[in-house]
Amino acid sequence: MTDPLILFMPSGKRGRFPEGTTVLEAARQLGVYVESVCGGRGICGRCQVEVQEGQFAKHGITSANDHLSPFGPKERRYAEKRDLKPGRRLSCSATITGDLVIDIPLDVQINAQIIRKAADTRVFERKPAVQLCYVEVEEPDMHKPLGDLDRIKAALETDWGFTDILVDPHIFPIVQSTLRKGGWAVTAAIHKDEDTGQASMIALWPGLHNEAWGIACDIGSTTIALHLVSLLSGHVIASAGTSNPQIRFGEDLMSRVSYVMMNPDGREAMTDAVRKAVDDLIGKVCEESGANRNDILDTVFVGNPIMHHLFLGIDPTELGGAPFALAVSGAIHTRARELALDANQGCRVYVIPCIAGHVGADAAAATLAEGPHRQDEMMLLVDVGTNAEIVLGNSKRVVAASSPTGPAFEGAEISCGQRAAPGAIERVRIDPETLEPRFKVIGSDLWSNEDGFADSVKTGITGICGSGIIEVVAEMYLAGIISEDGVVDGAMAAKSPRIIENGRTFSYVLNDGDPLITVTQNDVRAIQLAKAALYAGIKLLMDKQGIDHVDQIRFAGAFGSFIDPKYAMVLGLIPDCDLSKVSAVGNAAGTGARMALVNRDYRREIEETVRRIEKIETALEPKFQDHFVAAMALPNKTDPFPELAKAVKLPPKKALASGGEAGGAGRRRREGGRRARG
Ligand code: FES
């Protein structure tokens, strides 16, 4: 007779096991991660599973609750003391008696922590680098003079299979008191190095300890986003964000590098500022969730190269100019206390590798989250900031670059531009017949031509943010106000009073009330320069891949969450693509950090992927200039946009004499060379 067949969900891993095998053991043998703190003693409750009953024809399995041994004494005892939901079993106790489909519930939360709704609710298979291991240790015996710590190590070897465990020195002084306080039982936190497999004891508690937290953090130039994650369940328990306090040293990356170069204590001041901000956020998420800082055992950080260096205390001066040399590009393993973070004394830090001197660990983490390298379709992943980080690839080959887009997409360099904040115009529509606009501002759900709009805007209209700029320029083009070369058509002044003369060029009046908000020829030009830089970078990567179209586009980062892909494509910010395959993925870098936190296999995956990614230096590529010039046009001088044409009626071409365009691309190129990358 063949052994029963067990299928684990959601991983889909399956295998046959002799009757009498515990479900926990079967999971272990198949490499399915089931948490177990107490080592199968039936006291931690972390190993809960559920049977999915029914016929699973595809797998040839008929699964039923009675294909597990009846409720045993350990489960009864646990259910009496704690709360074991109906249908739940302890996998360390329940043994296999027949074919089964076993579900590992994702909500195994013992201490009733409130699960906050995270921005991204994806749950990843767990295989954390830090694991809690409960052991019962022999009492000391005069005839067997083995030290207390050595007996703990012996128990960890017998019960958990860890050999040659290294012990963090801060544990030595607490071994004896902890062991006695726990009545000869302790819980050790064991960190397993993903490369060497070396196990280290990093923390120790008396008796059974059932809390282990991790931190996943994305350090952006503008904002820092941090998640508190349960290492035992994989859930995000609390999230918090703050603006990067380094802004006071310089708004953009290059000015922060300059600050370091000009001020002897500049690097230290910025390192202290960012570490303090991260530590404050840790305090905030702990307070919100009731978690204890001392139970934070592992952390993962990502950031662009300059943030990465400053956080680690490395001078970023070399990243300020070619060849953009990183002090360290590979993954970093260190300890929280080395970075002045208040967590458990043994808490580990893992920093995801950087891809290149201007494509950082944030882009690597976004790559891990979106997985171009895991699929056949060609995916373009773009994170737009003052530098756009671009990754293009599939399972065969991945290439990456950055493009100096400048701050125009963030509302800077635009006459009425501002950061995205209440009062900023974020959506725009222009009637192609009358050229009359309507718009929406942040903080109100109404369009400007709807009743009650003025009252709904508490702050008043204050300016145009990045997504508003993209929409207004795209709509101006669709309405024929600007030509494909981006020239505001003065002849349209005869058709609408919204086209006004402005020196030698013309502007479009978006808001004719107070304040007057216009889009000038220079504004259009700034957007053209920014989008041409991005598109030229993307085209270089497409050339490297030998492709003329991409299958999918993902916008990462805050900017990507707010722009409408259709308008981004009308402008020619991104190449032609089926619009249903263009999406915003939010803080993909933060998601990647969480993945690396809860599953150490992802650390290996991203390290291998980063080694494989080919880095393209846009400044050195002779074709950059040609692509840039073609990309100055809307949507593009040379590239067709057939998918876009299916969704949007593009205007007929009209050539207008350019006002002050000459030298635009060349000027941009020089500016790009000066600009900070990263
Ligand atoms: Fe602790 Fe099953 S492993 S209760």
Side-chain angles (χ1 to χ4, degrees):
M1 218 179 81
T2 51
D3 288 334
L5 180 60
I6 316 297
L7 170 71
F8 283 95
M9 297 307 279
S11 70
K13 289 182 180 160
R14 51 191 277 164
R16 289 191 181 277
F17 296 90
E19 284 189 30
T21 310
T22 65
V23 175
L24 183 63
E25 182 53 35
R28 288 234 166 99
Q29 287 189 25
L30 289 173
V32 174
Y33 187 80
V34 176
E35 185 64 45
S36 149
V37 173
C38 71
R41 289 182 174 79
I43 55 177
C44 73
R46 289 287 177 186
C47 65
Q48 294 177 30
V49 295
E50 265 173 21
V51 173
Q52 278 191 31
E53 290 206 290
Q55 291 222 345
F56 297 82
K58 193 171 130 211
H59 302 286
I61 295 178
T62 301
S63 172
N65 272 315
D66 61 8
H67 290 183
L68 278 181
S69 58
F71 237 57
K74 278 196 272 182
E75 289 173 296
R76 265 200 301 279
R77 195 183 60 204
Y78 183 82
E80 276 164 20
K81 282 194 164 176
R82 309 275 186 122
D83 184 29
L84 193 59
K85 285 188 193 160
R88 292 281 170 86
R89 301 293 305 265
L90 295 181
S91 65
C92 63
S93 169
T95 58
I96 296 163
T97 61
D99 290 355
L100 284 160
V101 174
I102 296 285
D103 198 25
I104 300 170
L106 296 163
D107 65 337
V108 183
Q109 287 287 319
I110 303 307
N111 290 347
Q113 291 288 347
I114 302 153
I115 300 167
R116 297 289 161 123
K117 195 171 158 20
D120 178 344
T121 47
R122 277 158 76 181
V123 177
F124 309 103
E125 196 170 326
R126 287 170 296 148
K127 191 176 175 191
V130 176
Q131 183 183 351
L132 294 183
C133 302
Y134 169 87
V135 281
E136 288 167 4
V137 182
E138 276 182 36
E139 291 190 29
D141 178 345
M142 275 206 297
H143 303 292
K144 284 194 258 166
L146 204 56
D148 284 345
L149 181 59
D150 305 271
R151 293 199 315 286
I152 296 175
K153 285 165 78 173
L156 284 166
E157 180 164 351
T158 315
D159 292 3
W160 295 89
F162 289 115
T163 50
D164 300 322
I165 299 174
L166 296 176
V167 179
D168 276 13
H170 69 92
I171 292 176
F172 298 142
I174 61 161
V175 167
Q176 297 203 304
S177 57
T178 309
L179 201 47
R180 280 152 187 82
K181 199 170 162 198
W184 312 107
V186 288
T187 303
I190 304 292
H191 173 267
K192 201 162 177 195
D193 186 286
E194 48 273 10
D195 294 330
T196 61
Q198 173 68 54
S200 303
M201 191 192 299
I202 64 170
L204 194 69
W205 293 267
L208 177 71
H209 187 80
N210 229 341
E211 300 277 25
W213 305 115
I215 295 286
C217 182
D218 173 22
I219 305 176
S221 344
T222 318
T223 48
I224 303 174
L226 181 142
H227 304 290
L228 178 71
V229 181
S230 163
L231 293 179
L232 301 178
S233 74
H235 280 296
V236 175
I237 305 298
S239 302
T242 185
S243 57
N244 189 329
Q246 294 177 344
I247 286 176
R248 70 172 184 269
F249 302 102
E251 182 86 8
D252 60 46
L253 288 169
M254 190 58 198
S255 48
R256 287 183 219 171
V257 175
S258 310
Y259 187 86
V260 170
M261 291 160 75
M262 316 280 290
N263 294 280
D265 303 328
R267 201 278 303 148
E268 216 179 322
M270 276 200 267
T271 297
D272 289 350
V274 69
R275 287 180 181 175
K276 175 155 189 328
V278 170
D279 195 59
D280 288 350
L281 283 179
I282 293 176
K284 198 169 163 194
V285 290
C286 284
E287 201 181 309
E288 234 179 71
S289 58
N292 184 339
R293 275 183 186 258
N294 201 41
D295 294 337
I296 298 175
L297 300 171
D298 201 10
T299 58
V300 174
F301 289 91
V302 304
N304 64 52
I306 292 174
M307 290 304 108
H308 168 278
H309 276 39
L310 285 171
F311 179 62
L312 290 169
I314 305 170
D315 187 328
T317 305
E318 291 295 330
L319 296 169
F324 310 107
L326 288 153
V328 51
S329 56
I332 287 174
H333 301 260
T334 181
R335 295 171 195 212
R337 65 164 185 255
E338 304 289 341
L339 304 177
L341 302 177
D342 181 8
N344 187 289
Q345 260 193 296
C347 176
R348 295 303 199 253
V349 170
Y350 175 80
V351 185
I352 287 182
C354 288
I355 296 175
H358 43 80
V359 192
D362 50 352
T367 303
L368 178 63
E370 295 311 311
H373 58 288
R374 290 192 288 263
Q375 60 169 34
D376 293 335
E377 289 203 336
M378 189 60 77
M379 182 198 290
L380 172 65
L381 178 60
V382 193
D383 189 344
V384 179
T386 39
N387 280 291
E389 295 181 324
I390 317 164
V391 177
L392 175 69
N394 59 11
S395 54
K396 291 202 184 74
R397 188 181 181 199
V398 183
V399 292
S402 87
S403 261
T405 45
F409 291 145
E410 291 170 353
E413 290 183 356
I414 304 293
S415 59
C416 294
Q418 67 160 90
R419 279 189 187 281
I425 295 175
E426 58 165 350
R427 298 264 166 267
V428 179
R429 300 288 179 272
I430 297 175
D431 185 315
E433 293 304 319
T434 64
L435 308 190
E436 280 303 299
R438 59 194 173 98
F439 51 82
K440 271 186 171 178
V441 301
I442 298 177
S444 167
D445 289 334
L446 299 176
W447 284 94
S448 57
N449 60 343
E450 288 179 307
D451 287 345
F453 170 76
D455 291 339
S456 72
V457 185
K458 302 276 179 277
T459 48
I461 302 163
T462 50
I464 317 176
C465 68
S467 62
I469 278 287
I470 284 177
E471 292 201 3
V472 72
V473 175
E475 282 278 314
M476 284 165 75
Y477 168 63
L478 293 175
I481 299 169
I482 53 177
S483 67
E484 69 159 339
D485 292 320
V487 179
V488 182
D489 184 358
M492 298 293 254
K495 192 173 163 189
S496 163
R498 289 196 175 262
I499 313 297
I500 57 169
E501 213 173 320
N502 181 10
R504 286 169 44 229
T505 57
F506 290 86
S507 300
Y508 176 71
V509 178
L510 181 56
N511 187 41
D512 55 2
D514 183 26
L516 180 72
I517 291 183
T518 61
V519 181
T520 67
Q521 181 65 68
N522 278 343
D523 295 340
V524 176
R525 203 54 90 224
I527 287 298
Q528 282 178 283
L529 290 166
K531 74 101 177 175
L534 175 57
Y535 192 87
I538 294 171
K539 277 292 282 188
L540 280 180
L541 295 189
M542 290 171 72
D543 289 350
K544 291 287 166 194
Q545 292 278 17
I547 56 171
D548 60 7
H549 76 281
V550 299
D551 301 317
Q552 303 170 13
I553 301 177
R554 306 271 167 93
F555 273 114
F559 176 79
S561 304
F562 297 110
I563 57 171
D564 183 331
K566 184 176 81 181
Y567 288 103
M569 209 178 281
V570 169
L571 273 192
L573 204 82
I574 46 173
D576 189 54
C577 182
D578 177 348
L579 274 168
S580 67
K581 297 243 183 141
V582 185
S583 57
V585 292
N587 183 7
T591 305
R594 274 176 48 209
M595 291 167 72
L597 178 67
V598 299
N599 191 326
R600 63 177 193 270
D601 285 349
Y602 285 128
R603 301 183 184 186
R604 188 166 295 132
E605 179 181 328
I606 195 56
E607 287 170 22
E608 280 169 12
T609 306
V610 166
R611 274 195 285 275
R612 254 181 354 106
I613 292 178
E614 295 165 51
K615 297 90 186 169
I616 311 298
E617 179 46 68
T618 50
L620 299 178
E621 294 289 329
K623 284 202 77 182
F624 184 89
Q625 191 71 357
D626 295 341
H627 289 318
F628 185 96
V629 171
M632 280 295 286
L634 304 178
N636 193 286
K637 201 70 154 184
T638 47
D639 291 347
F641 279 73
E643 290 292 339
L644 176 65
K646 286 183 202 165
V648 179
K649 189 172 174 302
L650 293 170
K653 287 187 191 303
K654 68 169 157 184
L656 295 171
S658 127
E661 184 185 354
R667 189 171 67 239
R668 181 50 169 214
R669 199 65 199 282
R670 287 190 298 277
E671 282 174 4
R674 281 207 309 273
R675 218 162 234 148
R677 322 288 297 252

